[in-house]
Amino acid sequence: MQKTILGHHGAQHSHWVGDGFPVRTLFSYHGLQQQISPFLLLDYGGPHYFEPSTERRGVGVHPHRGFETVSIVYEGEIAHRDSAGNGGIIGPGDVQWMTAGAGILHEEYHGPGFSRTGGPLRVVQLWVNLPASDKMAPARYQGIVAADIPAVTLPNGSGTARVIAGELSGVRGPAKTFTPVNVWDLRLHADARLELALPEGHTSMLVVLSGHITVGGAQEVGSAEMAMLSREGSTVAVAADGDATVLVLTGAPLHEPIVGSGPFVMNTEAEIVQAYQDFTKGGSVFAA
């Protein structure tokens, strides 16, 4: 049975995160709430060309609690450092999967090499919710390089899919997750026609990062737009007019309250108040 199309979402306006990331928010729990669970938000940064600079451009130290951030670099370079002692540089094709859990401080800047040379920047940051039982888990960092992400050849010569998390055609991605999720990075060829098998019962979304596709034979989805699919059904038809990059997201919904404020996403207002108190008091989980 085919999944049906529930909605078509995009962003008409962009905003800056720090001075290094011009982003468009393609979906957010602030508007869609349980419809997108276990996902919370997706920011599409760029495409944007940066001139060479000796200045550090990005986002300074800031806290998170209660969820995970997943950064996927398509062009450019990002340097990460956090209060758990993790750090590194991710470039094109690399992924950074950070679990904030009970609390973490981190910063994200353009990589030093990218700052020196300048160039195009294109990056996605996805927020994935944690179940209530794991919101106070220890912080964790997974730096996943492109060479460690397996690729699957799609049917009918349609293109390829990098399996970042979950499983596709028996191939498992390297990311360790708290709940069942799939994150597939599809590169579709012009005139691609295929049926994707998606898990029954999963929240499912197709996010077009470049190009133009038709979903379910009816819904057109262009660059920086997302098609939301029903949880019922196990397949979806996808056709690409030209070359396209599509991020496929599916996940088992949590069915838990979502209460968020700024950098914290918890289950109750009291937990949000506690998160701010812990941060302002400099608790050990937020220690720099």
Side-chain angles (χ1 to χ4, degrees):
M1 177 176 133
Q2 287 267 338
K3 289 183 179 288
T4 58
I5 299 163
L6 299 181
H8 174 224
H9 302 270
Q12 295 184 351
H13 305 288
S14 64
H15 62 279
W16 282 84
V17 177
D19 62 358
F21 303 102
V23 307
R24 288 167 284 179
T25 300
L26 302 192
F27 63 80
S28 168
Y29 72 96
H30 289 296
L32 296 171
Q33 284 287 324
Q34 296 291 345
Q35 295 178 64
I36 58 172
S37 176
F39 306 107
L40 293 168
L41 173 150
L42 187 140
D43 278 344
Y44 186 21
H48 186 86
Y49 187 88
F50 285 90
E51 297 292 339
S53 175
T54 57
E55 301 292 325
R56 294 183 78 199
R57 292 177 292 206
V59 187
V61 176
H62 58 283
H64 287 302
R65 172 179 281 182
F67 63 99
E68 302 182 287
T69 66
V70 182
S71 299
I72 307 169
V73 175
Y74 289 88
E75 296 178 279
E77 184 183 76
I78 297 176
H80 167 95
R81 188 177 66 179
D82 65 41
S83 54
N86 301 303
I89 295 175
I90 57 173
D94 299 340
V95 176
Q96 172 204 100
W97 198 296
M98 187 193 77
T99 304
I104 200 166
L105 299 174
H106 79 141
E107 61 182 36
E108 297 162 296
Y109 285 94
H110 294 180
F114 178 73
S115 293
R116 284 194 300 271
T117 63
L121 179 73
R122 191 160 62 103
V123 61
V124 164
Q125 185 168 96
L126 171 70
W127 289 15
V128 182
N129 205 3
L130 288 170
S133 58
D134 295 309
K135 281 192 174 291
M136 297 299 286
R140 183 173 71 184
Y141 177 86
Q142 300 174 72
I144 305 170
V145 298
D148 291 338
I149 300 173
V152 172
T153 301
L154 297 171
N156 307 319
S158 300
T160 60
R162 298 195 315 145
V163 186
I164 296 169
E167 183 175 341
L168 176 62
S169 300
V171 175
R172 290 202 61 82
K176 298 178 177 66
T177 67
F178 284 81
T179 55
V181 298
N182 292 298
V183 179
W184 306 333
D185 178 23
L186 272 58
R187 312 299 171 94
L188 300 179
H189 300 320
D191 300 320
R193 300 289 185 273
L194 75 155
E195 278 210 353
L196 276 175
L198 304 177
E200 176 81 32
H202 270 212
T203 296
S204 301
M205 294 177 279
L206 304 181
V207 182
V208 178
L209 303 178
S210 65
H212 179 277
I213 66 173
T214 302
V215 181
Q219 179 65 64
E220 295 189 11
V221 188
S223 179
E225 296 178 343
M226 178 270 280
M228 182 183 301
L229 307 176
S230 64
R231 290 171 182 162
E232 299 75 23
S234 57
T235 62
V236 63
V238 179
D241 299 337
D243 292 345
T245 301
V246 181
L247 195 61
V248 179
L249 307 173
T250 88
L254 296 179
H255 302 298
E256 296 175 349
I258 301 170
V259 180
S261 178
F264 308 128
V265 181
M266 304 299 289
N267 299 110
T268 68
E269 292 286 354
E271 289 172 332
I272 292 293
V273 171
Q274 186 64 56
Y276 276 106
Q277 289 177 348
D278 291 346
F279 172 58
T280 55
K281 291 177 181 177
S284 58
V285 294
F286 288 111

